[in-house]
């Protein structure tokens, strides 16, 4: 336990290597503890952030979607989340596309100012591996044992980026294919907002996150978070229902748009953030005013317990591993031996692996059910009309119709 | 209720009239429990409706005809049309950087090509192969030969021998599964040298670009469409027209799109886009959109049918300009011939268009570099394609390059004309079904008046045999005609066609009397019913494939079908019938087309043109498989003969 406090996320590297079949519950509880213990030392407990970055679109003309995702990848990595804690899903390989005039690069700014496809991009799921199934498996932790690397160890803090889908927004008249309430994956399948909300609820019930930030940049993006009901969720979207999310940064040499508007301004915002920044979530909500975005970005905080104004952006985007220097000698070997012993015999550890305090969902969400406009039941009007017509014909008979002619 | 309805319908179908006299009681019962029946299954109401349709038949037909024509004319009115827009996401906008620098060098290459062409007196194959190889292409040649059925006097060729030269630029990093084609015909004389020069210049430029994801095939074809036909057949391993060609040694992937370039001067004032292909097929509208978008971006004047688009749609001259443009497209499409070298690509579902450089007396000139940049931009966008062009329309008319009329808007114009045929058919049906003046014994009366099958079948067979003669004889008997008359082969073919056509007028009428005795009232009605329905099906099918042809035929044949009976004044009607026959329609179309192109001709010249149009039509059929000539000869003309037959019914 103490090792967890001192060295941040190192235990999570130890556990899967030693016991690959370990239950996720154990891991999560461990980290939950570590966070609480950490709270005694540091003001912010966000030492163990995870990022899931997803780009679901293929094809060369969706270059900007890959660039979007890679630029966020760059930002979160810069702010301290290590590759081991980033699950990056890219549906297409723009750097090696035959049409790319600058092979092995993905630029996010005009005039090739910023190459976001650096030397060290670790893509976890690529090409046809980016499916709804894999995405949900990553979120809920139900990965098959054959999964090579361990994105299975997910932690208290996930911020989940679902980055652009098929928002065909090269020019304003082209319509969106990511529609109201669903999200396209690769032209072949889609995930609905209900499925996504259920996935998050499952994560919550399995204690896979403490707080979760969800950002989506697609047409009608706000429809994706409106069904969420799990606690401690904060959600952002680039556009409201009925709106298109638009592109930015046309580049003539590459011949495509390099970024989407929302992500572009978000990236500009994140570039100014450093691990000690005090910018809070309210600033994040304002990154792309309508004058810049053309679409209206939306956010949802009613599920989130804390006041967004008091939540630092780095709480999600950064992963600060606090190190305290001490002159005292700590005998680490003793601890590790003790832990190994206890893990080996198994029995005495059992008491500690218990849910500490489960947050009852109903108490957290003080949400009233939406007041709906009253509608007559389906088919009622149809039935009424049928009745009227029947009565009419029974009374007068159809033969009077011939007078019309 | 449903059971009752079927029960009643089966009984009061078409035997109703016969039953009326013999079964009064059952008839009554049917009428009584009919209160809740559908409109057509109740004999009373059906009679009311039919009475209405028969009484108002003529006015409704006239109104439909006027409405059809008015609808068609309204299509060119700009508020009724849609602006063109790019539907294909993969091509998106015109957002590319065109950097083609070497227009002057391309023109120099063109001059070199011209010199070698003059020296060899034909296509300089060796020089082309060397030049293309020097530019880093994989170069292949294909030789072909073809003997035309009769000499083509327009292009002065009979036994054609030629060679196509093509170079394939392989996509540097992509699998070689898809290709784009840029072609330039090698024309005799001083024509089109600049196009070949620009083609070679672009080949050199593209060779140094790494963004190509498709093979680009640079093709220089000899003898325009014949060479193109040989190359396309060789490429696709088909042989539809019995031409001799050597198989292709090198191939690229499946061709996604093609452009054919015609350029005969160093500088141009505008670029003209030609879309109409074989049998009136059109490329996907996105190809036209792409061309228009790049012209707008680069600032080149662009035209369609040689006409610029104007902004003053609300003025009379602006509207008539749009009508002219659209009518030119309709005429060209109806002719069914390929109006540029791209025309044959469309048969293989390859989107293709011809781009023609026009040098007129405008101030604003465009140089070869700019055209090269335009082509570079278009090819770069086509290179981005992931699937064949399919997002936009395949059936459309264009009143200007920036506006189009889709199939949903123009089809009602034809539908209104076709409805007339159905209304007339209904009218005839009702006339046939109403009992003739009542005699004592109804059954015998009907037996007498129902015409024999022979009286209908005979004219049908004879007119179709005439049609077959019109289709077969002109080409078969040209030698015989040349021996007996002092005419050339081409004239022989055309004159034989006209002779057979005219002979057909004399031949078939009243032939039914040979077999079936005196023609009856009922007889011509049945024949006309058959003819009207035949025409409706024929025109409907034609309009689905080639709207323009179907509409022009409907415009002339529908009035004929509507008014002709044996009882109208013979001489006047015969005159009208001849005026509205397919051959005269073609004659008027020739004059009208010249008028639209602002090149009016005298009657003498028009007649010569008419003869050459007929010979071209037959040649197009034999050489490229155009279907207009067989359609007219084998189906439309016999159908018209049926109406001719009805007029002279005795």
């Amino acid at each position: 336990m103490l090792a967890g406090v001192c060295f941040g996320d190192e235990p999570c590297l130890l556990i899967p290597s030693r016991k690959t079949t370990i239950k996720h519950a154990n891991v999560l509880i461990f980290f939950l503890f570590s966070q609480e213990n950490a709270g005694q030392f540091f003001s912010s407990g966000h030492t163990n952030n995870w990022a899931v970055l997803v780009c679901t679109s293929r094809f060369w003309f969706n270059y900007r979607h890959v660039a979007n995702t890679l630029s966020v990848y760059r930002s979160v990595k810069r702010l301290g989340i290590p590759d081991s804690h980033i699950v990056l899903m890219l549906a297409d390989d723009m750097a090696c596309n035959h049409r790319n005039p600058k092979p092995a690069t993905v630029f996010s700014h005009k005039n090739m100012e910023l190459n976001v496809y650096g030397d060290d991009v670790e893509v976890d799921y690529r090409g046809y591996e980016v499916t709804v199934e894999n995405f949900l498996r990553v979120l809920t932790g139900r990965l098959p044992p054959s999964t090579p690397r361990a994105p299975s160890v997910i932690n208290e803090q996930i911020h989940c980026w679902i980055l652009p889908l098929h928002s065909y927004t090269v020019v304003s008249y082209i319509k969106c294919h990511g529609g109201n309430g669903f999200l396209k994956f690769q032209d072949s399948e889609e995930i609905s907002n209900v499925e996504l909300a259920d996935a998050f609820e499952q994560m919550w019930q399995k204690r896979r996150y403490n707080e979760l930030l969800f950002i989506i940049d697609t047409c009608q993006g706000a429809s994706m978070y409106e069904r969420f009901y799990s606690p401690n969720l904060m959600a952002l979207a680039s556009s409201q229902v009925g709106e298109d999310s638009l592109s930015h940064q046309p580049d003539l040499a590459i011949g495509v748009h390099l970024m989407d508007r929302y992500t572009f301004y978000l990236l500009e915002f994140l570039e100014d953030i450093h691990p000690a920044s005090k910018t809070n979530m309210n600033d994040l909500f304002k990154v792309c005013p309508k004058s810049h975005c053309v679409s209206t970005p939306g956010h949802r905080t009613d599920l989130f317990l804390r006041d967004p104004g008091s939540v630092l952006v780095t709480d999600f985007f950064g992963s600060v591993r606090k190190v305290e220097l001490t002159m005292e000698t700590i005998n680490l070997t003793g601890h590790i031996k003790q832990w190994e012993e206890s893990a080996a015999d198994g029995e005495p550890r059992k008491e500690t692996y218990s849910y500490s305090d489960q947050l009852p969902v109903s108490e957290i969400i003080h949400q009233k059910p939406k007041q709906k406009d009253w509608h007559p039941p389906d088919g009622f009007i149809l039935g009424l009309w049928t009745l009227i017509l029947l009565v009419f014909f029974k009374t007068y008979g159809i033969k009077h119709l011939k007078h019309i002619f | 209720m449903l059971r009752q309805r079927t029960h009643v319908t089966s009984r009061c179908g078409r035997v109703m009239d016969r039953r009326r006299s013999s079964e009064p009681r059952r008839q009554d019962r049917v009428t009584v429990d009919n209160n809740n029946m559908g409109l057509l299954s109740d004999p009373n109401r059906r009679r009311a409706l039919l009475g209405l349709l028969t009484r108002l038949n003529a006015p409704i037909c006239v109104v439909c005809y006027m409405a059809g024509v008015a609808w068609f004319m309204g299509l060119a009115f700009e508020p009724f049309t849609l602006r063109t827009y790019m539907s294909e996401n993969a091509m998106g906008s015109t957002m590319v950087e065109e950097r083609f620098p070497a227009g002057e060098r391309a023109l120099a290459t063109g001059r070199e090509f011209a010199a070698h062409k003059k020296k060899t007196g034909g296509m300089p194959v060796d020089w082309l192969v060397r030049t293309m190889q020097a530019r880093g292409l994989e170069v292949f040649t294909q030789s072909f030969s073809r003997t035309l059925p009769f000499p083509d006097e327009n292009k002065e060729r009979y036994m054609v021998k030629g060679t196509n030269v093509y170079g394939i630029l392989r996509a540097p990093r992509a699998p070689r599964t898809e290709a784009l084609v840029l072609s330039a015909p090698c024309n005799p004389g001083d024509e089109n040298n600049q196009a070949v020069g620009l083609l070679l210049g672009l080949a050199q430029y593209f060779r140094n670009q790494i963004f190509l994801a498709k093979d680009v095939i640079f093709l220089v074809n000899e003898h325009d469409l014949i060479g193109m036909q040989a190359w396309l057949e060789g490429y696709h391993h088909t042989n539809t027209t019995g031409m001799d060609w050597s198989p292709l040694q090198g191939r690229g992937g499946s061709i996604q799109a093609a452009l054919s370039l015609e350029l005969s001067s160093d500088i141009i004032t505008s670029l003209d886009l030609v879309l109409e292909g074989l049998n009136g097929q059109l490329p996907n509208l996105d190809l036209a959109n792409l061309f228009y978008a790049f012209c707008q971006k680069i600032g080149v004047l662009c035209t369609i049918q040689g006409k610029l688009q104007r902004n003053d749609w609300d003025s009379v001259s602006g509207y008539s300009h749009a009508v002219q443009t659209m009518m030119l497209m309709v005429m060209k499409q109806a002719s069914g011939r390929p109006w540029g070298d791209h025309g044959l690509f469309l048969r293989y579902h390859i989107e293709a268009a011809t781009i023609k450089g026009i040098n007129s007396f405008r101030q604003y000139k465009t140089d070869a570099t700019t055209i090269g940049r335009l082509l570079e931009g278009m090819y770069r966008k086509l290179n981005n394609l992931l699937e064949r062009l399919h997002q936009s329309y395949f059936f459309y008319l264009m009143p200007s390059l920036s506006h189009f009329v889709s199939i949903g808007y123009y089809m009602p114009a034809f539908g209104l004309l076709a409805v007339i045929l159905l209304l007339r058919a209904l009218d005839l049906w009702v006339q046939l079904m109403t009992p003739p003046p009542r005699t004592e014994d109804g059954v015998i009366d009907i037996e007498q008046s129902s015409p024999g099958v022979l009286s209908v079948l005979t004219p049908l067979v004879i007119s179709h045999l005439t049609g077959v003669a019109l289709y077969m004889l002109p080409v078969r008997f040209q030698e015989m005609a040349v021996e007996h008359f002092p005419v050339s082969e081409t004239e022989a073919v055309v004159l034989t066609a006209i002779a057979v056509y005219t002979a057909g007028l004399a031949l078939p009428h009243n032939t039914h009397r040979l077999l079936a005795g005196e023609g009856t009232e009922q007889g011509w009605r049945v024949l006309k019913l058959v003819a009207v329905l035949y025409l409706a099906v024929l025109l409907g099918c034609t309009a689905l494939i080639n709207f323009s042809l179907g509409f022009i035929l409907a415009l002339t044949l529908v009035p004929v079908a509507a008014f002709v009976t044996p009882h109208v004044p013979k001489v006047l009607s015969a005159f009208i019938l001849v005026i509205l026959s397919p051959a005269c329609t073609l004659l008027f179309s020739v004059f009208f087309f010249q008028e639209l192109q602002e090149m009016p001709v005298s009657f003498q010249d028009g007649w010569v043109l008419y003869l050459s149009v007929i010979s071209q039509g037959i040649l197009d059929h034999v050489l490229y498989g155009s279907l207009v000539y067989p359609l007219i000869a084998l189906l439309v003309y016999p159908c018209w003969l049926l109406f001719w037959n009805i007029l002279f019914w005795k």
Side-chain angles (χ1 to χ4, degrees):
Chain A
M1 301 304 286
L2 285 175
V5 176
C6 295
F7 301 104
D9 59 338
E10 275 189 12
C12 94
L13 298 175
L14 289 176
I15 291 165
S17 59
R18 189 176 311 175
K19 259 185 147 188
T20 44
T21 54
I22 194 159
K23 293 278 176 285
H24 290 146
N26 294 350
V27 181
L28 290 170
I29 289 165
F30 179 79
F31 283 96
L32 216 60
F33 271 120
S34 80
Q35 189 223 342
E36 284 182 350
N37 291 345
Q40 297 161 8
F41 297 99
F42 314 118
S43 59
S44 168
H46 295 95
T47 56
N48 215 340
N49 284 354
W50 278 75
V52 179
L53 312 175
V54 186
C55 160
T56 65
S57 358
R58 297 185 71 79
F59 306 136
W60 173 241
F61 57 93
N62 289 325
Y63 182 97
R64 60 185 188 284
H65 298 164
V66 175
N68 286 341
T69 316
L70 283 172
S71 64
V72 176
Y73 173 80
R74 172 192 144 86
S75 292
V76 295
K77 208 164 156 183
R78 186 176 60 82
L79 289 171
I81 302 184
D83 261 328
S84 59
H85 279 46
I86 301 176
V87 180
L88 182 60
M89 302 173 105
L90 290 183
D92 206 347
D93 184 7
M94 290 307 162
C96 297
N97 195 296
H98 327 303
R99 296 168 180 87
N100 193 344
K102 304 280 168 195
T105 56
V106 175
F107 291 101
S108 68
H109 279 61
K110 266 190 281 198
N111 305 325
M112 305 177 197
E113 278 164 8
L114 181 57
N115 177 13
V116 287
Y117 194 80
D119 303 329
D120 51 352
V121 176
E122 277 186 28
V123 184
D124 299 271
Y125 291 85
R126 69 189 179 112
Y128 290 112
E129 293 166 3
V130 182
T131 57
V132 174
E133 182 187 339
N134 279 343
F135 173 60
L136 290 180
R137 279 184 185 281
V138 166
L139 287 188
T140 54
R142 297 168 188 273
L143 287 158
S146 59
T147 311
R149 205 166 68 87
S152 50
V153 195
I154 296 215
N155 200 322
E156 63 202 36
Q157 204 97 48
I158 292 175
H159 58 259
C160 178
W161 293 79
I162 305 210
L163 279 161
L165 319 150
H166 278 268
S167 45
Y168 294 133
T169 47
V170 189
V171 232
S172 55
Y173 53 73
I174 297 180
K175 54 223 162 275
C176 249
H177 285 219
N180 188 354
F182 69 89
L183 195 75
K184 262 175 94 172
F185 266 70
Q186 304 235 17
D187 258 7
S188 58
E189 50 181 354
E190 69 272 323
I191 184 170
S192 74
N193 50 2
V194 180
E195 284 171 308
L196 195 62
D198 288 344
F200 285 144
E201 174 61 17
Q202 205 178 112
M203 287 173 77
W204 172 250
Q205 289 186 4
K206 290 175 79 180
R207 289 287 178 268
R208 285 176 65 76
Y209 72 83
N210 180 21
E211 285 174 339
L212 194 146
L213 176 67
F214 172 83
I215 303 184
I216 183 163
D217 183 354
T218 181
C219 300
Q220 317 206 28
S223 67
M224 283 313 289
Y225 63 60
E226 63 188 13
R227 297 297 175 113
F228 289 175
Y229 56 94
S230 313
N232 282 359
L233 269 174
M234 194 179 327
L236 282 86
S238 64
S239 54
Q240 296 296 327
V241 175
E243 276 184 341
D244 287 351
S245 170
L246 301 176
S247 57
H248 202 264
Q249 298 283 314
D251 188 282
L252 292 175
I254 299 173
V256 283
H257 286 272
L258 300 186
M259 285 284 255
D260 280 309
R261 279 172 181 274
Y262 183 74
T263 318
F264 178 77
Y265 291 108
L266 189 69
L267 183 66
E268 278 201 337
F269 172 78
L270 289 179
E271 286 292 297
D272 291 337
I273 305 260
H274 52 87
S277 298
K278 293 293 168 203
T279 24
N280 60 35
M281 281 296 158
N282 281 337
D283 300 321
L284 183 68
F285 296 153
K286 285 182 278 189
V287 286
C288 193
K290 195 168 180 191
S291 53
H292 289 56
C293 252
V294 184
S295 60
T296 326
H299 56 86
R300 182 171 172 192
T301 52
D302 56 335
L303 297 171
F304 203 69
L305 276 183
R306 297 192 281 159
D307 171 32
S310 67
V311 181
L312 297 182
V313 171
T314 48
D315 282 359
F316 287 104
F317 286 91
S319 177
V320 185
R321 267 153 288 178
K322 301 267 168 131
V323 177
E324 283 191 12
L325 295 177
T326 170
M327 303 307 286
E328 293 167 34
T329 312
I330 300 170
N331 191 5
L332 277 177
T333 47
H335 280 297
I336 292 171
K337 198 179 278 173
Q338 189 187 352
W339 194 83
E340 273 181 32
E341 280 166 15
S342 59
D345 56 38
E347 274 302 311
R349 299 292 304 173
K350 268 212 168 159
E351 306 100 57
T352 26
Y353 291 144
S354 62
Y355 295 104
S356 52
D357 59 329
Q358 212 154 357
L359 295 169
V361 176
S362 55
E363 280 179 28
I364 294 164
I365 316 169
H366 304 288
Q367 241 191 323
K368 280 182 189 170
K370 248 187 193 175
Q371 290 287 318
K372 272 189 180 175
D373 297 334
W374 185 84
H375 281 292
D378 291 340
F380 175 75
I381 294 175
L382 202 68
L384 193 69
W385 271 109
T386 321
L387 194 71
I388 292 170
L389 286 176
L390 270 178
V391 168
F392 179 83
F393 285 125
K394 277 289 170 201
T395 321
Y396 297 105
I398 203 166
K399 65 185 169 190
H400 292 277
L401 274 184
K402 75 180 171 203
H403 296 302
I404 297 168
F405 292 111
Chain B
M1 182 164 168
L2 195 68
R3 203 186 306 147
Q4 271 183 344
R5 180 187 219 148
T6 47
H7 165 70
V8 170
T9 318
S10 65
R11 266 194 289 140
C12 63
R14 55 205 172 102
V15 287
M16 181 67 78
D17 297 313
R18 207 180 295 182
R19 191 166 277 161
R20 189 174 297 146
S21 53
S22 54
E23 292 179 339
R25 205 180 287 167
R26 282 183 83 180
Q27 180 68 45
D28 284 348
R29 216 195 72 210
V30 169
T31 323
V32 166
D33 63 16
N34 246 339
N35 272 340
N36 291 330
M37 297 300 105
L39 193 64
L40 284 175
S41 52
D42 175 3
N44 286 329
R45 266 173 280 127
R46 191 171 60 166
R47 212 173 297 129
L49 189 65
L50 288 182
L52 189 82
L53 280 181
T54 2
R55 244 184 309 123
L56 296 180
N57 201 296
I60 292 178
C61 288
V62 172
V63 167
C64 277
Y65 191 82
M66 309 280 259
V69 175
W71 187 294
F72 180 74
M73 296 308 285
L75 291 179
F77 191 51
E78 201 175 296
F80 298 159
T81 59
L82 295 172
R83 272 199 83 81
T84 51
Y85 55 89
M86 197 91 83
S87 301
E88 176 59 77
N89 284 309
M91 293 201 300
S93 58
T94 54
M95 196 176 53
V96 285
E97 188 176 43
E98 301 88 2
R99 288 176 307 183
F100 177 71
E104 284 307 314
R105 207 189 309 164
L107 291 180
T109 320
R111 281 190 283 275
E112 202 180 332
F113 170 74
H116 280 89
K117 189 163 79 172
K118 203 173 243 172
K119 206 166 79 183
T120 46
M123 181 128 146
V125 177
D126 293 336
W127 181 82
L128 268 175
V129 170
R130 259 185 291 118
T131 319
M132 282 189 177
Q133 267 166 353
R135 278 157 176 69
L137 308 182
E138 287 178 29
V139 191
F140 305 96
T141 58
Q142 181 203 27
S143 55
F144 59 90
S145 66
R146 174 85 214 224
T147 308
L148 309 194
F150 55 89
D152 182 353
E153 290 191 346
N154 280 23
K155 290 182 174 152
E156 292 171 355
R157 58 190 181 190
Y158 181 50
M159 291 168 77
V160 179
K161 254 190 178 30
T163 314
N164 293 324
V165 181
Y166 64 102
I168 304 176
L169 173 59
R170 300 290 183 188
R173 289 183 289 149
R176 297 160 175 185
T177 50
E178 292 177 342
L180 301 170
V181 173
L182 177 62
S183 79
C186 168
N187 289 355
D190 264 348
E191 277 179 38
N192 228 21
N193 299 327
Q194 284 81 355
V196 177
L198 192 55
L199 175 130
L200 292 170
L202 277 171
Q204 186 164 25
Y205 174 74
F206 279 150
R207 180 73 176 84
N208 298 321
Q209 306 303 316
I210 58 163
F211 53 71
L212 288 173
K214 303 183 196 315
D215 297 347
V216 184
I217 303 176
F218 296 91
L219 167 68
V220 180
N221 56 315
E222 205 177 355
H223 298 297
D224 48 68
L225 281 166
I226 297 181
M228 195 57 96
Q229 167 97 350
W231 190 79
L232 279 170
E233 288 190 345
Y235 199 89
H236 293 102
H237 296 300
T238 53
N239 198 338
T240 49
T241 49
M243 184 190 266
D244 290 327
W245 38 258
S246 60
L248 297 189
Q249 296 303 316
R251 301 170 78 252
S254 85
I255 303 173
Q256 304 289 302
L259 287 181
S260 178
L261 193 60
E262 289 181 21
L263 206 61
S264 297
S265 58
D266 287 357
I267 46 167
I268 56 147
T269 51
S270 62
L271 285 176
D272 189 44
L273 182 69
V274 185
L275 297 171
E276 300 84 2
L278 188 72
N279 289 326
Q281 262 187 301
L282 300 170
N284 194 284
L285 186 57
D286 266 343
L287 198 63
N289 296 341
L290 186 70
F291 171 75
Y292 180 62
F294 270 101
C295 284
Q296 295 290 98
K297 183 191 175 194
I298 296 183
V300 182
L301 279 182
C302 51
T303 59
I304 189 162
Q305 324 297 352
K307 302 217 181 268
L308 282 169
Q309 56 270 26
R310 292 166 57 154
N311 296 322
D312 53 339
W313 56 267
D314 44 355
S315 69
V316 175
S317 64
Y319 170 69
S320 74
H321 184 81
V323 171
Q324 276 182 22
T325 316
M326 191 181 74
M327 290 306 274
L328 269 172
M329 179 156 189
V330 168
M331 304 302 282
K332 282 186 180 178
Q333 199 190 6
S335 75
R337 44 183 327 215
W339 284 83
D341 276 6
H342 72 283
L344 298 174
F345 280 99
L346 298 169
R347 171 190 280 161
Y348 301 93
H349 198 345
I350 299 165
E351 308 314 319
T354 296
I355 295 177
K356 264 187 192 161
I358 290 171
N359 194 11
S360 65
F361 303 103
R362 285 179 200 278
Q363 288 291 319
Y364 187 77
K365 304 280 187 194
T366 305
D367 60 353
T369 310
T370 315
I371 307 170
R373 282 174 53 219
L374 182 122
L375 287 170
E376 184 203 344
M378 286 183 75
Y379 271 84
R380 217 175 142 182
K381 277 295 164 189
L382 289 171
N383 178 48
N384 282 0
L385 281 183
L386 296 156
E387 332 166 63
R388 287 176 185 282
L389 286 171
H390 66 282
Q391 299 274 9
S392 196
Y393 295 90
F394 284 98
F395 296 93
Y396 53 88
L397 297 175
M398 298 194 92
S400 72
L401 202 44
S402 58
H403 286 81
F404 74 101
V405 181
S406 74
I407 183 167
Y409 288 87
Y410 67 57
M411 228 36 188
F414 175 80
L416 284 166
L417 296 187
V419 149
I420 297 176
L421 294 176
L422 298 182
L423 280 174
R424 296 309 293 183
L426 185 72
D427 188 33
L428 282 166
W429 179 255
V430 172
Q431 284 177 16
L432 282 169
M433 283 302 119
T434 32
R438 191 57 68 94
T439 54
E440 284 300 304
D441 195 343
V443 182
I444 293 168
D445 195 29
I446 288 162
E447 290 291 324
Q448 272 181 346
S449 64
S450 76
V453 181
L454 277 182
S455 71
V456 177
L457 209 56
T458 324
L460 262 178
V461 169
I462 288 181
S463 50
H464 278 92
L465 286 179
T466 322
V468 172
L470 177 61
Y471 176 64
M472 307 287 281
L473 293 188
V475 180
R476 289 285 162 89
F477 286 116
Q478 48 169 319
E479 288 98 8
M480 198 190 285
V482 170
E483 277 172 26
H484 290 84
F485 300 101
V487 287
S488 70
E489 280 99 337
T490 317
E491 283 171 322
V493 170
V494 176
L495 294 177
T496 318
I498 294 178
V500 174
Y501 190 93
T502 326
L505 302 190
L507 187 68
H509 63 88
N510 291 335
T511 35
H512 61 277
R513 280 195 294 172
L514 295 174
L515 295 161
E518 196 69 14
T520 57
E521 275 300 291
Q522 296 290 73
W524 72 262
R525 289 217 170 96
V526 173
L527 180 59
K528 190 174 168 187
L529 182 63
V530 170
V532 163
L533 289 177
Y534 181 30
L535 186 63
V537 172
L538 188 61
L539 291 182
C541 295
T542 313
L544 280 182
I545 297 161
N546 185 345
F547 165 78
S548 303
L549 184 60
F551 187 77
I552 290 177
L553 286 176
L555 218 50
T556 54
L557 289 179
V558 164
V560 168
F563 86 91
V564 75
T565 63
H567 307 303
V568 288
K570 284 271 167 359
V571 180
L572 180 65
S573 308
F575 179 69
I576 295 175
L577 220 60
V578 169
I579 289 291
L580 293 179
S581 79
C584 286
T585 310
L586 180 61
L587 181 63
F588 300 138
S589 298
V590 168
F591 283 106
F592 185 54
F593 183 69
Q594 292 297 326
E595 201 66 40
L596 282 175
Q597 285 204 313
E598 290 160 10
M599 287 190 291
V601 286
S602 66
F603 185 79
Q604 201 66 37
D605 295 343
W607 178 254
V608 174
L609 206 55
Y610 175 65
L611 297 184
S612 82
V613 164
I614 295 176
S615 71
Q616 290 297 314
I618 298 174
L619 267 181
D620 281 348
H621 170 60
V622 180
L623 286 181
Y624 318 122
S626 157
L627 291 174
V628 176
Y629 175 59
L631 176 84
I632 300 286
L634 294 175
L635 297 170
V636 177
Y637 172 63
C639 189
W640 178 85
L641 274 183
L642 290 179
F643 294 109
W644 184 256
N645 212 336
I646 292 163
L647 182 66
F648 293 102
W649 188 275
K650 274 177 193 152

